[in-house]
């Protein structure tokens, strides 16, 4: 593995771990006015990390939607409808991630809440 890819992977993993740690605490805050400066910075960091993660892993929605559709509605729909859902969700998650990364300093929606539910591709719906 190239050193640049190793550093990039380590940085992404660090962002994801930090983002998950702060996520639990940030959900109890309702507005920027009610939060301390540290909580606002933590919310921004979490939103940025989530945005970078979703931009980088949005493509995982394609196989995920095939699998989920296959499990819930059977093999035929999994092979026909799953890829269509996967393409749509890939575009949606990647764009939402880019939007979160670019607008990390804005406390919308809510207090730096995720644009999509679930917040990450690997979480259950």
């Amino acid at each position: 593995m190239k050193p640049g890819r190793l550093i990039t992977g380590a940085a992404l993993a660090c962002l994801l771990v930090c983002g998950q740690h702060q996520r639990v605490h940030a959900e109890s805050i309702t507005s920027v006015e009610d939060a301390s400066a540290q909580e606002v910075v933590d919310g921004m960091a979490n939103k940025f990390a989530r945005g970078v993660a979703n931009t980088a892993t949005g493509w995982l929605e394609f196989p995920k939607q095939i699998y989920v559709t296959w499990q819930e509605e059977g093999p035929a729909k999994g092979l026909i409808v799953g890829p269509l859902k996967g393409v749509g969700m890939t575009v949606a998650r990647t764009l939402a991630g880019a939007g979160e990364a670019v607008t990390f300093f804005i406390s919308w929606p809510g207090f730096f809440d995720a644009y999509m539910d679930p917040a990450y591709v690997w979480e259950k719906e």
Side-chain angles (χ1 to χ4, degrees):
M1 182 177 261
K2 294 182 179 181
R5 286 186 182 217
L6 182 62
I7 292 170
T8 303
L12 182 59
C14 180
L15 284 171
L16 293 174
V17 170
C18 293
Q20 287 295 327
H21 173 70
Q22 296 299 326
R23 184 173 169 199
V24 174
H25 182 65
E27 290 175 354
S28 65
I29 301 168
T30 57
S31 70
V32 174
E33 291 80 22
D34 298 337
S36 69
Q38 184 61 50
E39 290 168 334
V40 171
V41 171
D42 289 345
M44 287 181 187
N46 185 32
K47 186 174 179 182
F48 182 75
R50 186 175 52 242
V52 170
N54 281 331
T55 302
T57 61
W59 63 273
L60 291 172
E61 282 287 356
F62 187 78
K64 176 186 177 183
Q65 292 304 320
I66 294 171
Y67 174 78
V68 169
T69 305
W70 183 300
Q71 294 296 316
E72 292 176 356
E73 300 178 35
K77 281 194 176 181
L79 292 174
I80 297 169
V81 177
L84 299 174
K85 288 170 60 177
V87 168
M89 287 301 296
T90 295
V91 171
R93 183 160 305 274
T94 303
L95 291 177
E100 282 190 306
V102 170
T103 62
F104 72 92
F105 53 89
I106 300 171
S107 66
W108 180 86
F111 186 76
F112 302 103
D113 292 335
Y115 287 1
M116 295 189 74
D117 186 38
Y120 297 95
V121 68
W122 53 84
E123 292 179 338
K124 279 198 159 209
E125 297 178 8

